[in-house]
Amino acid sequence: MIKENGSSVQVTHTGRIRRRKGSNEVPADVGQANGNHLLVNDQNKYKSMLIRAYSSIWMIGGFIFVVYMGHLYIWAMVVIIQIFMAKELFGLLRKVNEDKQLPGFRHLNWHFFFTAMLFVYGRILSQRLVNTVTTDKFLYKIVGNLIKYHMVTCYFLYIAGFVWFILSLKKKMYKYQFGQYAWTHMILIVVFTQSSFTVANIFEGIFWFLLPASLIVINDIAAYIVGFFFGKTPLIKLSPKKTWEGFIGASVTTIISAFVLANFFGRFQWFTCPRKDLSTGWLQCDPGPLFTPETFTLPGWLPEWFPWTEMEVMPVQWHALGLGLFASIIAPFGGFFASGFKRAFKIKDFGDSIPGHGGMTDRMDCQIIMNLSYEEQRALYTNLGQIIQDRQFGES
């Protein structure tokens, strides 16, 4: 591996050169000790911070706009993110010389990708699509037939891809082709397993998507800022710039933010109401017991000068603390996993689509782990709401 001006050049046994475009940050040398790469010791850290901050402002602004537009637009955003992630991951094991000998083979990856997309979202959104076209008899009949044969359609699309793969097998290329086939299926599992929970929860209420996603963003920003100014103690070898100071500071910030944001988001019906169709109009619904404030008496050991003796707390806020704890302690391991994965492939970033951050996969590494907890958290909250409702009914 030879490095020139921030780009990595890899010379293979065939003499063929593969280049990966470098990102805006100074790449870390995997062979040196962790302490040499802490942000507090990085000479280019302010330039890197400005680039990263500029990109973050644009991403956060775009995210807020999409959330304001509603459920359907958030789903579209998730689909776009999936396409970028798949593109970056498909390219990891790509070999240009072999691909030249297999014309059209790269299209097979996307055939399986869009087949998986049709299967996952067809199951999740079918009833909402029916609810959208109920008033139009012609569209209702068409949509009904599409849903009726949805599973069969997905099955034959996959079989078509399988047959396509078998017919494309070429002598002396078997190992590469079967490796690509396995790699494609692993990518589909990584991309669609977690995102299926995300999309399902978006339509159950933006709150169940927005709060966990926001906590990951807050944790990432807090870890970067605290580590930037105070980081001294290396956290893990897989991520040389991660520090214990950043990890602890981010954890405290995220848990407090979870409690506050749950109260803020829970006040808006736009966030708490489920969407039963694929329309984009404003929503009105009964917020339910989870989002109904209750009076909480503060403990007596607080000093006398403290201005409040009681406060109003939504029941969902207490469980948001658990979500904040998960985002602080468990979700970062998604980032550590991604760091180890990149080191295995001797790359710094999965891509360069986001200046200062790397690729889309680099931004979604912790979100992947967080997404897997969405459905469990929402189910827990729903059960809690039923318990609260039963309790209130018993007291009355």
Coordinates of all heavy atoms in Angstrom, one line a residue, residues 214-297:
S214 N -32.2 11.2 16.6 CA -31.6 12.4 17.2 C -30.6 12.1 18.3 O -29.5 12.8 18.4 CB -32.7 13.3 17.8 OG -33.6 13.7 16.8
L215 N -30.8 11.1 19.1 CA -29.9 10.8 20.2 C -28.6 10.3 19.6 O -27.5 10.6 20.2 CB -30.5 9.7 21.1 CG -31.8 10.1 21.8 CD1 -32.3 9.0 22.7 CD2 -31.5 11.4 22.7
I216 N -28.6 9.6 18.5 CA -27.3 9.1 17.9 C -26.6 10.3 17.4 O -25.3 10.4 17.5 CB -27.6 8.1 16.7 CG1 -28.1 6.8 17.3 CG2 -26.4 7.9 15.9 CD1 -27.1 6.1 18.2
V217 N -27.2 11.3 16.7 CA -26.6 12.5 16.3 C -26.0 13.3 17.4 O -24.8 13.7 17.4 CB -27.6 13.4 15.5 CG1 -26.9 14.7 15.1 CG2 -28.1 12.6 14.2
I218 N -26.8 13.4 18.5 CA -26.3 14.2 19.7 C -25.1 13.5 20.3 O -24.1 14.1 20.6 CB -27.4 14.3 20.7 CG1 -28.5 15.3 20.2 CG2 -26.9 14.8 22.0 CD1 -29.7 15.3 21.0
N219 N -25.1 12.2 20.4 CA -24.0 11.4 21.0 C -22.8 11.5 20.1 O -21.7 11.7 20.7 CB -24.4 9.9 21.1 CG -23.4 9.1 21.8 OD1 -22.6 8.4 21.2 ND2 -23.4 9.1 23.1
D220 N -22.9 11.5 18.8 CA -21.8 11.6 17.9 C -21.1 13.0 18.0 O -19.9 13.1 18.1 CB -22.2 11.3 16.5 CG -21.1 11.3 15.5 OD1 -20.2 10.4 15.7 OD2 -21.0 12.1 14.6
I221 N -22.0 14.0 18.0 CA -21.5 15.4 18.1 C -20.8 15.7 19.4 O -19.7 16.2 19.5 CB -22.6 16.4 17.8 CG1 -23.1 16.3 16.4 CG2 -22.1 17.8 18.1 CD1 -24.3 17.2 16.1
A222 N -21.4 15.2 20.5 CA -20.9 15.5 21.8 C -19.6 14.7 22.0 O -18.6 15.3 22.6 CB -21.9 15.0 22.9
A223 N -19.5 13.5 21.5 CA -18.3 12.7 21.7 C -17.1 13.4 20.9 O -16.0 13.5 21.4 CB -18.5 11.3 21.1
Y224 N -17.5 13.9 19.7 CA -16.4 14.6 18.9 C -16.0 15.9 19.6 O -14.7 16.1 19.7 CB -17.0 14.9 17.5 CG -16.0 15.6 16.6 CD1 -15.1 14.8 15.9 CD2 -16.0 17.0 16.4 CE1 -14.2 15.4 15.0 CE2 -15.1 17.6 15.6 CZ -14.2 16.8 14.9 OH -13.3 17.4 14.0
I225 N -16.9 16.7 20.1 CA -16.5 18.0 20.7 C -15.7 17.8 22.0 O -14.7 18.4 22.2 CB -17.8 18.9 21.0 CG1 -18.4 19.3 19.6 CG2 -17.4 20.1 21.8 CD1 -19.7 20.1 19.7
V226 N -16.3 16.9 22.9 CA -15.6 16.7 24.2 C -14.2 16.1 23.9 O -13.2 16.4 24.5 CB -16.4 15.8 25.1 CG1 -15.6 15.4 26.4 CG2 -17.7 16.4 25.4
G227 N -14.1 15.1 23.0 CA -12.8 14.5 22.7 C -11.9 15.5 22.0 O -10.7 15.4 22.2
F228 N -12.5 16.4 21.2 CA -11.7 17.4 20.5 C -10.9 18.3 21.5 O -9.7 18.6 21.3 CB -12.6 18.2 19.7 CG -11.9 19.2 18.8 CD1 -11.6 18.9 17.5 CD2 -11.7 20.5 19.2 CE1 -10.9 19.8 16.7 CE2 -11.0 21.5 18.4 CZ -10.7 21.1 17.1
F229 N -11.6 18.7 22.6 CA -11.0 19.7 23.5 C -10.4 19.0 24.7 O -9.4 19.5 25.3 CB -12.0 20.7 23.9 CG -12.4 21.6 22.8 CD1 -13.7 21.5 22.2 CD2 -11.6 22.7 22.4 CE1 -14.1 22.4 21.2 CE2 -12.0 23.6 21.4 CZ -13.2 23.4 20.8
F230 N -10.9 17.9 25.2 CA -10.4 17.3 26.4 C -9.9 15.9 26.3 O -9.5 15.3 27.3 CB -11.6 17.3 27.5 CG -12.2 18.7 27.6 CD1 -13.5 18.9 27.1 CD2 -11.6 19.7 28.3 CE1 -14.1 20.2 27.2 CE2 -12.2 20.9 28.4 CZ -13.4 21.2 27.9
G231 N -10.0 15.3 25.1 CA -9.7 13.9 25.0 C -8.2 13.6 25.3 O -7.3 14.2 24.6
K232 N -7.9 12.7 26.2 CA -6.5 12.4 26.6 C -6.3 10.9 26.7 O -5.2 10.4 26.4 CB -6.1 13.0 28.0 CG -6.1 14.5 28.0 CD -5.0 15.1 27.2 CE -4.9 16.6 27.4 NZ -3.8 17.2 26.7
T233 N -7.4 10.1 27.1 CA -7.2 8.7 27.3 C -7.9 7.9 26.2 O -9.1 8.0 26.0 CB -7.9 8.3 28.7 OG1 -7.5 9.2 29.7 CG2 -7.6 6.9 29.1
P234 N -7.1 7.1 25.4 CA -7.6 6.3 24.3 C -8.7 5.3 24.8 O -8.5 4.8 25.9 CB -6.4 5.6 23.8 CG -5.2 6.4 24.2 CD -5.6 7.0 25.6
L235 N -9.7 5.2 24.0 CA -10.8 4.3 24.4 C -10.7 2.9 23.9 O -10.8 1.9 24.6 CB -12.1 4.9 23.9 CG -13.4 4.1 24.1 CD1 -13.7 3.9 25.6 CD2 -14.6 4.8 23.5
I236 N -10.4 2.8 22.6 CA -10.3 1.5 21.9 C -9.4 1.5 20.7 O -9.4 2.5 20.0 CB -11.8 1.0 21.5 CG1 -11.7 -0.4 21.0 CG2 -12.4 1.9 20.5 CD1 -13.1 -1.0 20.8
K237 N -8.6 0.5 20.5 CA -7.6 0.5 19.5 C -8.2 0.6 18.1 O -7.6 1.1 17.1 CB -6.7 -0.7 19.6 CG -5.8 -0.7 20.8 CD -4.9 -2.0 20.8 CE -4.0 -1.9 22.0 NZ -3.1 -3.1 22.1
L238 N -9.4 0.1 17.9 CA -10.1 0.1 16.6 C -10.3 1.5 16.1 O -10.4 1.8 14.9 CB -11.4 -0.7 16.6 CG -11.3 -2.2 16.7 CD1 -12.6 -2.9 16.9 CD2 -10.6 -2.8 15.4
S239 N -10.6 2.4 17.0 CA -10.8 3.8 16.7 C -9.8 4.7 17.5 O -10.1 5.1 18.6 CB -12.3 4.2 17.0 OG -13.2 3.5 16.3
P240 N -8.7 5.0 16.9 CA -7.6 5.7 17.6 C -8.0 7.0 18.1 O -7.4 7.5 19.1 CB -6.5 5.8 16.5 CG -6.8 4.7 15.5 CD -8.3 4.6 15.5
K241 N -8.9 7.7 17.5 CA -9.3 9.1 17.9 C -10.4 9.1 19.0 O -10.7 10.2 19.5 CB -9.7 10.0 16.8 CG -8.5 10.2 15.8 CD -8.9 11.2 14.7 CE -7.7 11.4 13.8 NZ -8.0 12.4 12.7
K242 N -11.0 8.0 19.3 CA -12.0 7.9 20.4 C -11.3 7.9 21.7 O -10.3 7.2 22.0 CB -12.8 6.6 20.2 CG -13.6 6.5 18.9 CD -14.7 7.5 18.9 CE -15.7 7.2 17.7 NZ -15.1 7.1 16.4
T243 N -11.9 8.7 22.7 CA -11.3 8.8 24.0 C -12.4 8.5 25.1 O -13.6 8.6 24.8 CB -10.7 10.2 24.3 OG1 -11.8 11.1 24.2 CG2 -9.7 10.5 23.2
W244 N -11.9 8.1 26.3 CA -12.8 7.9 27.4 C -13.5 9.2 27.8 O -14.7 9.2 28.1 CB -12.1 7.4 28.6 CG -11.9 5.9 28.5 CD1 -10.8 5.2 28.3 CD2 -12.9 4.9 28.8 NE1 -11.0 3.8 28.3 CE2 -12.3 3.6 28.7 CE3 -14.3 5.0 29.1 CZ2 -13.0 2.5 28.8 CZ3 -15.0 3.8 29.3 CH2 -14.4 2.6 29.2
E245 N -12.8 10.3 27.7 CA -13.4 11.6 28.0 C -14.6 11.9 27.1 O -15.7 12.3 27.5 CB -12.4 12.7 27.9 CG -11.3 12.7 29.0 CD -10.2 11.7 28.7 OE1 -10.2 11.0 27.6 OE2 -9.3 11.6 29.6
G246 N -14.4 11.7 25.8 CA -15.5 11.9 24.8 C -16.6 10.9 25.0 O -17.8 11.3 24.9
F247 N -16.3 9.7 25.3 CA -17.3 8.6 25.5 C -18.2 9.0 26.7 O -19.5 8.9 26.6 CB -16.7 7.3 25.7 CG -17.6 6.1 25.8 CD1 -18.3 5.6 24.7 CD2 -17.9 5.6 27.1 CE1 -19.2 4.5 24.9 CE2 -18.8 4.6 27.2 CZ -19.4 4.0 26.1
I248 N -17.6 9.4 27.8 CA -18.3 9.7 29.0 C -19.1 11.0 28.9 O -20.3 11.1 29.3 CB -17.4 9.7 30.3 CG1 -16.8 8.3 30.5 CG2 -18.1 10.2 31.5 CD1 -15.7 8.4 31.6
G249 N -18.5 12.0 28.3 CA -19.1 13.3 28.1 C -20.3 13.1 27.2 O -21.4 13.7 27.5
A250 N -20.2 12.3 26.1 CA -21.3 12.1 25.2 C -22.4 11.3 25.9 O -23.6 11.6 25.6 CB -20.8 11.4 24.0
S251 N -22.1 10.4 26.7 CA -23.1 9.6 27.4 C -24.0 10.5 28.3 O -25.2 10.4 28.3 CB -22.5 8.5 28.2 OG -21.7 7.6 27.4
V252 N -23.4 11.3 29.1 CA -24.1 12.2 30.0 C -25.0 13.1 29.2 O -26.2 13.3 29.5 CB -23.2 13.0 30.9 CG1 -23.9 14.1 31.7 CG2 -22.4 12.1 31.8
T253 N -24.4 13.7 28.1 CA -25.2 14.6 27.3 C -26.4 13.9 26.6 O -27.5 14.5 26.5 CB -24.3 15.2 26.2 OG1 -23.1 15.9 26.8 CG2 -25.0 16.2 25.3
T254 N -26.2 12.7 26.1 CA -27.2 12.0 25.4 C -28.4 11.6 26.3 O -29.5 11.7 26.0 CB -26.6 10.7 24.7 OG1 -25.6 11.1 23.9 CG2 -27.7 10.0 23.9
I255 N -28.1 11.2 27.5 CA -29.1 10.7 28.5 C -30.0 11.9 28.9 O -31.2 11.8 29.0 CB -28.5 10.0 29.7 CG1 -27.8 8.7 29.3 CG2 -29.5 9.8 30.8 CD1 -27.0 8.0 30.3
I256 N -29.3 13.1 29.2 CA -30.1 14.3 29.5 C -30.9 14.7 28.3 O -32.1 15.1 28.5 CB -29.1 15.4 30.0 CG1 -28.4 15.0 31.3 CG2 -29.9 16.7 30.1 CD1 -27.3 16.0 31.7
S257 N -30.3 14.7 27.1 CA -31.1 15.1 25.9 C -32.3 14.2 25.7 O -33.3 14.7 25.2 CB -30.1 15.0 24.7 OG -29.0 15.9 24.9
A258 N -32.1 12.9 26.0 CA -33.3 12.0 25.8 C -34.5 12.4 26.6 O -35.6 12.4 26.1 CB -32.8 10.5 26.1
F259 N -34.2 12.7 27.9 CA -35.3 13.1 28.8 C -36.0 14.4 28.3 O -37.2 14.5 28.3 CB -34.7 13.3 30.2 CG -35.8 13.5 31.2 CD1 -36.5 12.4 31.8 CD2 -36.1 14.7 31.7 CE1 -37.4 12.5 32.7 CE2 -37.1 14.9 32.7 CZ -37.7 13.8 33.2
V260 N -35.2 15.4 27.9 CA -35.7 16.7 27.4 C -36.4 16.6 26.1 O -37.5 17.1 25.9 CB -34.5 17.7 27.4 CG1 -35.1 19.0 26.8 CG2 -33.9 17.9 28.7
L261 N -35.8 15.9 25.1 CA -36.3 15.8 23.8 C -37.6 15.0 23.8 O -38.6 15.3 23.0 CB -35.3 15.2 22.8 CG -34.2 16.0 22.4 CD1 -33.2 15.3 21.5 CD2 -34.6 17.3 21.7
A262 N -37.7 14.0 24.6 CA -39.0 13.2 24.7 C -40.1 14.1 25.1 O -41.3 13.9 24.6 CB -38.8 12.0 25.7
N263 N -39.9 15.0 26.0 CA -40.9 15.9 26.4 C -41.3 16.9 25.3 O -42.5 17.2 25.0 CB -40.5 16.7 27.7 CG -41.5 17.7 28.2 OD1 -41.7 18.8 27.6 ND2 -42.2 17.3 29.2
F264 N -40.3 17.4 24.6 CA -40.5 18.4 23.5 C -41.2 17.7 22.3 O -42.2 18.2 21.9 CB -39.1 18.9 23.1 CG -39.2 19.9 21.9 CD1 -39.8 21.2 22.1 CD2 -38.9 19.5 20.6 CE1 -39.9 22.1 21.0 CE2 -39.0 20.4 19.6 CZ -39.5 21.7 19.8
F265 N -40.7 16.6 21.9 CA -41.3 15.9 20.7 C -42.8 15.4 21.0 O -43.6 15.4 20.2 CB -40.5 14.7 20.3 CG -39.2 15.1 19.7 CD1 -38.1 14.2 19.7 CD2 -39.0 16.3 19.1 CE1 -36.9 14.6 19.2 CE2 -37.7 16.7 18.5 CZ -36.7 15.8 18.6
G266 N -43.0 15.0 22.3 CA -44.2 14.5 22.7 C -45.4 15.5 22.7 O -46.5 15.1 22.9
R267 N -45.0 16.7 22.6 CA -46.0 17.8 22.7 C -46.7 18.0 21.3 O -47.7 18.8 21.2 CB -45.4 19.1 23.2 CG -44.9 19.0 24.6 CD -44.3 20.3 25.0 NE -43.8 20.2 26.4 CZ -44.5 20.5 27.5 NH1 -45.7 21.0 27.3 NH2 -43.9 20.4 28.7
F268 N -46.1 17.5 20.2 CA -46.6 17.7 18.9 C -47.3 16.5 18.3 O -46.7 15.4 18.2 CB -45.5 18.1 18.0 CG -44.8 19.4 18.4 CD1 -43.6 19.3 19.2 CD2 -45.2 20.6 18.0 CE1 -43.0 20.5 19.6 CE2 -44.6 21.8 18.5 CZ -43.5 21.7 19.3
Q269 N -48.6 16.7 17.9 CA -49.3 15.6 17.3 C -48.7 15.1 16.0 O -48.8 14.0 15.6 CB -50.8 15.9 17.1 CG -51.5 16.1 18.4 CD -53.0 16.3 18.1 OE1 -53.5 16.2 17.0 NE2 -53.8 16.5 19.2
W270 N -48.0 16.0 15.3 CA -47.3 15.7 14.0 C -46.3 14.6 14.3 O -46.0 13.7 13.4 CB -46.6 16.9 13.5 CG -46.0 16.7 12.2 CD1 -44.6 16.9 11.9 CD2 -46.6 16.4 10.9 NE1 -44.4 16.6 10.6 CE2 -45.6 16.4 9.9 CE3 -47.9 16.1 10.5 CZ2 -45.8 16.1 8.6 CZ3 -48.2 15.9 9.2 CH2 -47.1 15.8 8.2
F271 N -45.7 14.5 15.5 CA -44.7 13.5 15.8 C -45.4 12.2 16.4 O -44.8 11.1 16.2 CB -43.7 14.1 16.8 CG -42.8 15.2 16.2 CD1 -42.3 16.1 17.0 CD2 -42.6 15.2 14.9 CE1 -41.5 17.2 16.5 CE2 -41.8 16.2 14.3 CZ -41.3 17.2 15.1
T272 N -46.4 12.4 17.2 CA -47.0 11.3 18.0 C -48.1 10.5 17.3 O -48.3 9.3 17.6 CB -47.5 11.8 19.3 OG1 -48.5 12.8 19.1 CG2 -46.4 12.4 20.1
C273 N -48.8 11.1 16.3 CA -49.9 10.5 15.6 C -49.4 9.5 14.6 O -48.5 9.8 13.8 CB -50.8 11.5 15.0 SG -51.7 12.5 16.1
P274 N -50.0 8.3 14.5 CA -49.6 7.3 13.5 C -50.2 7.8 12.1 O -51.2 8.4 12.1 CB -50.2 6.0 13.9 CG -51.3 6.4 14.8 CD -50.9 7.7 15.4
R275 N -49.5 7.3 11.0 CA -50.0 7.6 9.7 C -50.6 6.3 9.1 O -49.8 5.4 8.9 CB -48.9 8.2 8.8 CG -49.2 8.3 7.3 CD -50.2 9.5 7.1 NE -49.5 10.8 7.3 CZ -50.1 11.9 7.1 NH1 -51.4 11.9 6.8 NH2 -49.5 13.1 7.3
K276 N -51.9 6.3 8.8 CA -52.5 5.1 8.4 C -52.6 4.9 6.9 O -53.0 3.9 6.3 CB -54.0 5.0 8.9 CG -54.1 5.0 10.4 CD -53.4 3.8 11.0 CE -53.5 3.8 12.6 NZ -52.8 2.7 13.2
D277 N -52.1 6.0 6.1 CA -52.1 5.9 4.7 C -50.8 6.6 4.2 O -49.9 6.8 5.0 CB -53.3 6.6 4.1 CG -53.5 8.0 4.6 OD1 -52.5 8.6 5.0 OD2 -54.7 8.5 4.6
L278 N -50.7 6.8 2.9 CA -49.5 7.4 2.3 C -49.8 8.9 1.9 O -49.1 9.4 1.0 CB -49.1 6.6 1.1 CG -48.7 5.1 1.4 CD1 -48.2 4.4 0.1 CD2 -47.6 5.0 2.5
S279 N -50.7 9.5 2.6 CA -51.0 10.9 2.3 C -49.9 11.8 3.0 O -49.1 11.3 3.8 CB -52.4 11.3 2.7 OG -52.6 11.1 4.1
T280 N -50.0 13.1 2.8 CA -49.1 14.0 3.4 C -49.8 15.1 4.2 O -49.1 16.1 4.6 CB -48.2 14.7 2.4 OG1 -49.0 15.4 1.4 CG2 -47.3 13.7 1.6
G281 N -51.1 15.0 4.5 CA -51.8 16.0 5.3 C -51.5 16.0 6.7 O -50.8 15.1 7.3
W282 N -51.9 17.1 7.4 CA -51.7 17.2 8.9 C -52.5 16.2 9.6 O -53.6 15.7 9.2 CB -52.0 18.6 9.4 CG -51.1 19.6 8.8 CD1 -51.3 20.5 7.8 CD2 -49.8 19.9 9.3 NE1 -50.1 21.3 7.6 CE2 -49.2 20.9 8.6 CE3 -49.0 19.3 10.4 CZ2 -47.9 21.4 8.8 CZ3 -47.7 19.9 10.6 CH2 -47.2 20.9 9.8
L283 N -52.0 15.8 10.8 CA -52.7 14.7 11.6 C -53.3 15.3 12.9 O -52.8 16.2 13.5 CB -51.6 13.7 11.9 CG -51.0 12.9 10.8 CD1 -49.8 12.1 11.2 CD2 -52.1 12.0 10.2
Q284 N -54.3 14.6 13.3 CA -54.9 14.9 14.6 C -55.3 13.5 15.2 O -55.9 12.7 14.6 CB -56.2 15.8 14.5 CG -55.8 17.2 14.2 CD -57.1 18.1 14.2 OE1 -58.2 17.6 14.1 NE2 -56.9 19.4 14.4
C285 N -55.0 13.4 16.5 CA -55.3 12.1 17.2 C -55.2 12.3 18.7 O -54.8 13.3 19.2 CB -54.3 11.0 16.8 SG -52.6 11.3 17.3
D286 N -55.7 11.3 19.4 CA -55.6 11.3 20.9 C -54.2 10.9 21.2 O -53.7 9.8 20.8 CB -56.6 10.3 21.5 CG -56.5 10.2 23.0 OD1 -55.8 11.1 23.6 OD2 -57.1 9.3 23.6
P287 N -53.4 11.7 21.9 CA -52.0 11.4 22.2 C -51.8 10.2 23.0 O -50.7 9.6 23.0 CB -51.5 12.7 22.9 CG -52.7 13.3 23.5 CD -53.8 13.0 22.5
G288 N -52.8 9.8 23.8 CA -52.7 8.6 24.6 C -51.9 8.8 25.9 O -51.4 9.9 26.1
P289 N -52.0 7.9 26.8 CA -51.4 8.1 28.1 C -49.9 8.3 28.1 O -49.4 8.9 29.1 CB -51.8 6.8 28.9 CG -52.0 5.8 27.8 CD -52.6 6.5 26.6
L290 N -49.2 7.7 27.1 CA -47.7 7.9 27.1 C -47.3 9.3 27.0 O -46.3 9.7 27.5 CB -47.1 7.1 26.0 CG -47.0 5.6 26.2 CD1 -46.4 5.0 24.9 CD2 -46.1 5.3 27.3
F291 N -48.1 10.1 26.3 CA -47.8 11.5 26.1 C -48.6 12.5 26.8 O -48.7 13.7 26.5 CB -47.9 11.8 24.6 CG -47.0 10.9 23.7 CD1 -47.6 9.8 23.0 CD2 -45.7 11.2 23.6 CE1 -46.8 9.0 22.3 CE2 -44.9 10.3 22.8 CZ -45.4 9.3 22.2
T292 N -49.3 12.0 27.9 CA -50.1 12.8 28.8 C -49.3 13.2 30.0 O -48.9 12.2 30.8 CB -51.4 12.1 29.2 OG1 -52.1 11.8 28.0 CG2 -52.2 13.0 30.1
P293 N -48.9 14.4 30.3 CA -48.1 14.8 31.4 C -48.7 14.4 32.7 O -49.9 14.5 32.9 CB -48.0 16.3 31.3 CG -48.3 16.6 29.9 CD -49.3 15.6 29.4
E294 N -47.9 13.9 33.6 CA -48.3 13.6 35.0 C -47.4 14.4 36.0 O -46.3 14.7 35.7 CB -48.1 12.1 35.3 CG -49.0 11.2 34.4 CD -48.8 9.7 34.7 OE1 -47.8 9.4 35.4 OE2 -49.6 8.9 34.3
T295 N -48.0 14.7 37.1 CA -47.3 15.4 38.2 C -46.3 14.5 38.9 O -46.7 13.5 39.4 CB -48.2 16.1 39.1 OG1 -49.1 17.0 38.4 CG2 -47.5 16.9 40.2
F296 N -45.1 14.9 38.9 CA -44.0 14.2 39.6 C -43.4 15.0 40.8 O -43.0 16.1 40.5 CB -42.9 13.8 38.7 CG -41.7 13.1 39.3 CD1 -41.8 11.8 39.8 CD2 -40.5 13.8 39.5 CE1 -40.8 11.2 40.4 CE2 -39.5 13.2 40.1 CZ -39.6 11.9 40.5
T297 N -43.6 14.5 42.0 CA -43.0 15.2 43.1 C -41.5 15.0 43.3 O -41.1 13.8 43.3 CB -43.8 14.8 44.4 OG1 -45.2 15.0 44.3 CG2 -43.3 15.6 45.6

